[in-house]
Amino acid sequence: MHPIAQVFAAIAAALHVVIFVMESVLWSKPAIWAKFGVASQNEADVVKPMAFNQGFYNLFLAVGIVMGLVLGGSAGDAVVYFACASIVGAAIVLATGGAKYFRAAFVQGITPLIALILAAVLQA
């Protein structure tokens, strides 16, 4: 995988660690759950188990990217490609929820998409 593509994959991993922290560690803070469009403490309490679980999905994808980058070679690249493609797929699914999710889908999906495109275009 080209080093520039690796940088974008690493940025995607870092962002997904941040999302994990927000969803799984800091969810009880109103400033955090409000970023996800949750309007009340009651709604936040109801959504908390799902947010906790979803945060771990984000963490596992980030770990996949990091482990793939550390492993390197064709096997490591395959793991990075899979994790990046999974994040892009999740962003597409998020975007199907309506216009209010487009920004979040873009933020979630743009860096792994750039990583995949650069990896394809800049192959040695």
Side-chain angles (χ1 to χ4, degrees):
M1 182 175 230
H2 194 279
I4 296 173
Q6 290 178 333
V7 167
F8 280 92
I11 292 168
L15 173 63
H16 281 74
V17 169
V18 170
I19 295 169
F20 157 74
V21 170
M22 291 170 64
E23 292 175 335
S24 298
V25 178
L26 301 176
W27 184 260
S28 60
K29 298 180 182 286
I32 298 299
W33 49 255
K35 291 180 186 290
F36 292 88
V38 176
S40 70
Q41 183 66 55
N42 185 52
E43 288 179 27
D45 292 343
V46 169
V47 173
K48 186 175 181 175
M50 185 209 55
F52 184 76
N53 179 263
Q54 186 170 305
F56 274 90
Y57 274 86
N58 286 305
L59 178 64
F60 298 146
L61 289 168
V63 168
I65 291 172
V66 171
M67 293 307 297
L69 292 172
V70 169
L71 180 60
S74 60
D77 290 351
V79 173
V80 174
Y81 298 147
F82 176 79
C84 284
S86 295
I87 294 170
V88 171
I92 291 167
V93 170
L94 180 59
T96 67
K100 70 180 184 176
Y101 296 109
F102 288 174
R103 181 177 180 274
F106 178 82
V107 169
Q108 175 180 311
I110 192 64
T111 52
L113 178 61
I114 292 171
L116 292 170
I117 292 169
L118 289 173
V121 172
L122 300 176
Q123 280 189 354

